[in-house]
Amino acid sequence: MSREHPLVSVIVPSYNRSEVLGLCLDALEEQTYPHIEVIVVDDCGTEDAAQVAASKGVKVVRTKVNGGPTPARNLGAEHAAGEILFFLDADIALDPDAVENAVRILESHPEIGALGGILRPESLASQSLASQYRAVQMHRWWMPAHRPTLELHAAVLAVPAKVFAEIGPFDPRLRETVSSDYRIRMTRSYEVKLSDAIRGRKDHDAFVGTILRKVFRRARISALDWHQGETPGDSVPRAVGGVLLLAAVPALALPVVAGRAGALVPPALVAAAMAMDAGTYRFAYTQRGVAFGLYFSGVHLAVTFTGALGGAVGVLQRFALARLDKPARD
């Protein structure tokens, strides 16, 4: 860094949900690191998010068309003056020391090109059972502080501005797989790290149906767009668990063929799937008690199954597209 106290540009892509954006900006006002500029990128929303941002005294820029968070992040980076770019989703409220910790880590470790944070296992605004489930699940799956990982999420991400200029912007064509793509590009030249010193609470979806739709879509698109090296090794057991749950569905017909012995197969497959992700189930019971743990277990099985189903559909679509692209034989 060229200055003793580098300026940090916090870039917040925003599409509606102005009340949650307000919580995000309130948390930025409480940061212990004083050298911050905040840039809210209004992605052609219909709510008063831009007015909320302006009332907080932050810079507001607006996209020409609604294109999702990826182009919005890139536009914010174009308007940033900071030596560190801190990308933050509008539904996340950072802990007060998050930015300060990010600066400290990047200054002491110049080999790091992208520094990710983690999500706390508590939801920011919504406190429905579904949102509480999602908070615990995403804390364990998406941004795991409890084990080394090469995962990366643009939702909470600090990048030195010179590195961002070198690697290039996020791919605007991508939505669900943009973080994986950026991680692959970044690791060709720099290290990628996660730190539990950079934490925040996300406002999670309040309904199980919404969660399942998102999980299916993301898994399908991720499988469809998968490239070699995208999947970190610590997600393999979860993927195996999902396959076991998929296999449990046709196995329900086994009692017709194999009698009582066949009836034991589906529950055995479900038990094996749960064992593949035992740490997540254990965390839910330990942190929230038996009643929530039982609720968590049921929803988590549904989420794991839905993710595997979405991934399977994506793989089938991938093969179908590959066959269509294959030149016809003479």
Side-chain angles (χ1 to χ4, degrees):
M1 307 296 173
S2 62
R3 287 185 287 181
E4 183 179 357
H5 300 292
L7 177 67
V8 178
S9 297
V10 181
I11 298 165
V12 183
S14 175
Y15 180 70
N16 295 335
R17 304 213 56 201
S18 54
E19 75 288 352
V20 177
L21 173 63
L23 297 176
C24 171
L25 298 179
D26 287 343
L28 290 174
E29 289 181 347
E30 297 173 0
Q31 290 299 301
T32 57
Y33 188 78
H35 309 288
I36 297 176
E37 70 164 356
V38 180
I39 302 172
V40 171
V41 185
D42 183 11
D43 194 21
C44 294
T46 58
E47 294 185 7
D48 60 347
Q51 183 177 348
V52 169
S55 71
K56 299 287 185 180
V58 306
K59 183 186 299 185
V60 180
V61 296
R62 186 177 175 88
T63 59
K64 294 181 179 180
V65 296
N66 174 250
T70 302
R73 293 185 185 110
N74 291 337
L75 180 61
E78 292 176 9
H79 287 79
E83 293 177 77
I84 297 176
L85 307 180
F86 196 121
F87 299 97
L88 177 68
D89 279 5
D91 58 356
I92 297 174
L94 292 175
D95 284 9
D97 60 352
V99 173
E100 182 177 1
N101 290 335
V103 172
R104 172 179 52 80
I105 293 170
L106 288 175
E107 286 188 318
S108 58
H109 296 279
E111 72 277 7
I112 297 177
L115 178 64
I118 69 166
L119 298 179
R120 285 187 173 276
E122 304 93 21
S123 184
L124 175 60
S126 174
Q127 296 301 318
S128 70
L129 280 175
S131 63
Q132 293 181 55
Y133 158 79
R134 189 65 158 157
V136 172
Q137 181 253 331
M138 289 184 70
H139 173 76
R140 293 285 303 185
W141 276 25
W142 280 42
M143 301 183 178
H146 57 285
R147 61 180 182 267
T149 179
L150 287 178
E151 191 57 277
L152 180 72
H153 294 281
V156 186
L157 182 66
V159 182
K162 64 179 183 180
V163 174
F164 188 81
E166 176 187 343
I167 301 300
F170 300 106
D171 190 335
R173 298 168 298 177
L174 304 177
R175 293 179 72 99
E176 305 297 349
T177 57
V178 62
S179 295
S180 295
D181 171 79
Y182 198 71
R183 176 180 62 82
I184 291 174
R185 290 159 53 199
M186 181 65 71
T187 51
R188 291 169 183 159
S189 303
Y190 296 93
E191 291 186 14
V192 172
K193 295 292 185 181
L194 288 180
S195 173
D196 59 3
I198 306 166
R199 296 169 294 186
R201 287 182 297 148
K202 177 181 173 65
D203 190 47
H204 293 281
D205 293 309
F207 302 101
V208 172
T210 305
I211 295 171
L212 294 178
R213 285 192 295 272
K214 286 186 176 181
V215 167
F216 180 88
R217 184 184 72 246
R218 288 170 178 168
R220 181 184 66 81
I221 295 175
S222 294
L224 185 61
D225 295 342
W226 182 84
H227 297 287
Q228 187 68 33
E230 280 192 9
T231 303
D234 56 25
S235 68
V236 172
R238 301 199 304 260
V240 173
V243 172
L244 292 172
L245 290 179
L246 288 179
V249 175
L252 292 172
L254 283 177
V256 178
V257 179
R260 291 184 177 180
L264 299 176
V265 175
L269 290 171
V270 173
M274 296 180 73
M276 301 300 292
D277 196 18
T280 300
Y281 291 98
R282 188 182 307 113
F283 182 83
Y285 279 89
T286 301
Q287 294 295 314
R288 303 291 181 86
V290 174
F292 178 81
L294 291 171
Y295 172 84
F296 181 95
S297 297
V299 176
H300 196 56
L301 284 171
V303 165
T304 306
F305 176 86
T306 301
L309 182 61
V313 172
V315 169
L316 291 176
Q317 290 180 317
R318 186 185 182 96
F319 279 122
L321 290 173
R323 289 180 64 86
L324 290 174
D325 291 339
K326 187 180 296 184
R329 295 182 179 179
D330 295 333

